[in-house]
Amino acid sequence: MTCHIHPSILSADFSRLGEELKAISSADAAHIDVMDGHFVPNLTWGLPVVKRLKEVSPVPFDVHLMIEEADRWAPAYAQVGCESVTFHAEAATAPIKLARTLRESGAQAGMALRPATGVEPYLDMLTELDMLLIMTVEPGFGGQPFLDLTLPKIRRAAAAIEGSGADLVLQVDGGITTETILRAAEAGATCFVAGSSVYGADDIPAAIAGLRRAASLSPQA
Ligand code: DX5
Ligand code: ZN
């Protein structure tokens, strides 16, 4: 199993975002949480900020859109060169059409599910996606504890992905630490978003390496 570590800059120092991106150059991508204050009760940044940060980043961008009207706003993030754009299933009117538009715009298409959203209604569209994100906390804030109740869904999603033959990354986001990453990896996740456990560490490269090491201890690895 190839394990991907995507630090979330939601827990970075917002006055030094350029430097905070350089600090994660050993990661596989930077996870960029876009929040609109409607889909989630928090507000971060929008397209102009993401576009400028992208220009100075040493790593690809994995954009996680926690916004309403995803069909309308998501394609622009692909058009400015973000390598991966993830919309929420709960916020998309036409998720298949949107995933196709993202791919046509040159990005990888990701779809996210809140903890209480089932994966079953979406199994037939797995081949339209490059990444499935299973939220392991309620989206909106960093620093929340990992919800173990999401583990059965991660297992079901991993089995469905294997059965579909699709080349799909299974991402988890929320409460990932060197302890919880093991359970998520055992359940079948292959890509791990980590905000506070990376940016809250004194040594950021060591924290990234520690997560990689912990994920590789899983029997799935
Ligand atoms: C939460 C965001 C996460 C957040 C994770 O809504 O989607 O990406 O930054 O933060 P931690 O790792 O601290 O739970
Ligand atoms: Zn996120």
Side-chain angles (χ1 to χ4, degrees), residues 78-192:
Q79 285 152 15
V80 299
C82 295
E83 285 81 356
S84 171
V85 179
T86 297
F87 59 88
H88 266 265
E90 305 88 349
T93 305
I96 296 170
K97 184 173 178 223
L98 178 53
R100 288 183 181 180
T101 303
L102 292 172
R103 281 177 161 180
E104 279 159 18
S105 306
Q108 298 199 321
M111 191 175 74
L113 305 175
R114 299 182 82 126
T117 303
V119 70
E120 284 71 19
Y122 301 99
L123 294 183
D124 289 341
M125 65 168 285
L126 290 181
T127 51
E128 302 288 338
L129 299 171
D130 299 293
M131 185 160 79
L132 180 68
L133 164 55
I134 296 192
M135 290 304 299
T136 45
V137 296
E138 284 294 351
F141 299 94
Q144 303 179 76
F146 182 87
L147 291 171
D148 278 285
L149 63 79
T150 60
L151 289 169
K153 181 164 64 174
I154 298 169
R155 275 190 208 100
R156 294 197 302 276
I161 289 168
E162 203 176 320
S164 75
D167 186 18
L168 208 73
V169 171
L170 183 54
Q171 186 179 67
V172 286
D173 179 9
I176 297 296
T177 64
T178 48
E179 188 233 336
T180 59
I181 199 169
L182 192 58
R183 300 207 285 284
E186 265 169 11
T190 55
C191 180
F192 307 90

Side-chain angles (χ1 to χ4, degrees), residues 31 33 64 66 173:
H31 183 83
D33 289 303
H64 175 195
M66 283 160 278
D173 179 9

